[in-house]
């Protein structure tokens, strides 16, 4: 495949969560065009089977390939846990990076990472993808997980700091009360939306919050540099969704804090 600098970076998630990744990528690589896909018709993915999530992920990969992207960032932990290998296979020689590998790297890079907590969707937690990925690098790290299935619908609704969000978080995070974790991985790309409230609810100052967004943005930058594919002329951000484009557009603008082109609807 003959890739060119001017081609966009493709980023996808089940909904708005992957915007946490897109934001970090846009900051690290301001001259890159970004094509974002949010599968708003089928969100949430976290309670679905491996077969279903893989089928959706391959359809989206096909869409991004048709759009002519030069790299794919899997901005969904659930998809990374269930379908990473199949996406890589479908993408051929196109570089594919995923948030679980990036999150693992962020854990290893941080000095305090011997007793790690991971929160994620049911799918991500049940797959044990983080446990394997982290312990493959260092079997001495202890990993405690907790699935938080209500957080994705709350984030999609824009309920990120109201009483209901805080109550849900305090029930989920109680799991770590006696675990003395030194870092907590936000193992779902929707969860950084709750970043403002998580530290006070966790109530453990010494726990470092790990979000894979900056890590995957850095990995993307290094990869493009290595392949001599860095763009110096782009910077466009275009969103596609499978349902409710107006709703997505409003949430996306609010979250990214800047005006965006209208999101387009795509039926895969
Ligand atoms: N944001 C996704 C993740 O990182 C998907 C959440 C969902 O759709 O349940 O897992």
């Amino acid at each position: 495949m003959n890739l060119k600098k001017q081609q966009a970076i493709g980023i996808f998630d089940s909904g708005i969560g992957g915007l946490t990744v897109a934001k970090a990528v846009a900051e690290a690589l301001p001259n890159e065009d970004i094509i974002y896909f949010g599968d708003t018709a089928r969100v949430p993915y976290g309670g679905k089977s491996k077969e279903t999530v893989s089928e959706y992920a391959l359809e989206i990969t096909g869409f991004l390939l048709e759009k002519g992207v030069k790299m794919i960032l899997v901005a969904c932990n659930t998809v990374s846990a269930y379908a990473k290998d199949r996406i890589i296979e479908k993408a051929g020689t196109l570089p594919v990076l995923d948030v679980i590998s990036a999150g693992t790297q962020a854990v290893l890079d941080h000095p305090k990472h011997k007793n790690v907590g991971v929160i994620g969707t049911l799918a991500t937690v049940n797959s044990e993808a983080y446990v394997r990925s982290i312990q493959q690098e260092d079997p001495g790290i202890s990993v405690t997980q907790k699935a938080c299935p209500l957080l994705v619908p709350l984030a999609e609704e824009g309920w990120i700091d109201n009483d209901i969000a805080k109550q849900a978080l305090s029930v989920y995070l109680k799991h770590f009360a006696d675990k003395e974790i030194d870092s907590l991985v936000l193992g779902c790309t929707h969860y950084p939306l709750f970043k403002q409230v998580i530290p006070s609810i966790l109530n453990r100052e010494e726990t470092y919050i790990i979000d894979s967004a900056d890590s995957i943005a850095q990995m993307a930058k290094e990869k493009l540099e290595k392949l001599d594919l860095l763009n110096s002329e782009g910077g466009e951000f275009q969103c596609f969704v499978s349902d409710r484009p107006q709703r997505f557009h409003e949430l996306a603008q609010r979250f990214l804090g800047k005006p965006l082109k209208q999101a387009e609807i795509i039926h895969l």
Side-chain angles (χ1 to χ4, degrees):
M1 209 178 293
N2 195 7
L3 299 171
K4 300 205 174 51
K5 294 180 180 185
Q6 291 75 15
Q7 289 171 269
I9 298 175
I11 303 180
F12 77 95
D13 178 43
S14 59
I16 61 162
L19 289 174
T20 57
V21 169
K23 188 177 186 186
V25 172
E27 277 164 14
L29 295 162
N31 298 320
E32 296 291 338
D33 289 334
I34 294 173
I35 293 181
Y36 183 87
F37 184 88
D39 198 0
T40 48
R42 305 187 288 199
V43 65
Y45 281 5
K48 296 189 168 71
S49 68
K50 183 172 182 173
E51 291 69 32
T52 300
V53 171
S54 304
E55 190 189 307
Y56 295 170
L58 292 176
E59 282 175 7
I60 300 167
T61 303
F63 166 72
L64 293 174
L65 293 175
E66 270 171 33
K67 283 277 165 201
V69 299
K70 62 182 170 186
M71 166 182 262
I72 292 179
L73 304 185
V74 182
C76 175
N77 291 267
T78 305
V79 170
S80 307
Y82 275 168
K84 179 175 97 174
D85 292 344
R86 294 187 65 189
I87 295 168
I88 292 174
E89 193 186 334
K90 182 159 180 139
T93 53
L94 200 83
V96 175
L97 304 178
D98 75 282
V99 275
I100 292 190
S101 308
T104 300
Q105 196 51 54
V107 167
L108 299 171
D109 287 346
H110 196 265
K112 292 196 298 180
H113 66 244
K114 280 297 163 205
N115 192 2
V116 177
V118 175
I119 51 175
T121 64
L122 277 169
T124 301
V125 165
N126 291 342
S127 75
E128 304 231 310
Y130 267 105
V131 182
R132 276 197 307 279
S133 175
I134 292 172
Q135 291 185 341
Q136 194 170 302
E137 297 301 324
D138 182 348
I141 301 177
S142 120
V143 182
T144 312
Q145 307 186 93
K146 177 70 183 163
C148 309
L150 286 181
L151 298 187
V152 169
L154 287 172
E156 288 289 325
E157 213 39 57
W159 288 15
I160 53 176
D161 53 8
N162 65 11
D163 286 349
I164 296 182
K166 285 179 187 163
Q167 274 178 31
L169 277 163
S170 69
V171 172
Y172 288 138
L173 295 178
K174 218 173 253 154
H175 181 75
F176 299 103
D178 56 353
K179 307 280 191 303
E180 300 195 346
I181 49 170
D182 44 41
S183 44
L184 177 71
V185 179
L186 306 182
C188 170
T189 53
H190 282 74
Y191 298 176
L193 294 165
F194 303 97
K195 230 176 176 174
Q196 300 305 321
V197 292
I198 286 178
S200 62
I201 292 171
L202 195 59
N203 200 17
R204 228 185 103 75
E205 254 172 46
E206 52 280 58
T207 301
Y208 181 75
I209 309 291
I210 294 184
D211 162 3
S212 54
D214 289 332
S215 174
I216 197 168
Q218 200 46 44
M219 283 164 79
K221 189 173 179 183
E222 283 164 17
K223 189 82 181 171
L224 291 176
E225 258 161 13
K226 198 166 153 207
L227 297 172
D228 193 23
L229 283 174
L230 276 179
N231 193 358
S232 54
E233 295 159 7
E236 246 196 49
F237 190 91
Q238 199 180 355
C239 293
F240 295 88
V241 291
S242 47
D243 203 1
R244 299 175 80 196
Q246 187 53 36
R247 170 92 184 124
F248 181 90
H249 183 71
E250 285 159 16
L251 283 173
Q253 290 202 127
R254 187 157 21 121
F255 174 63
L256 294 173
K258 60 176 184 186
L260 296 175
K261 266 174 81 174
Q262 195 60 48
E264 272 179 52
I265 192 158
I266 293 290
H267 300 290
L268 294 173

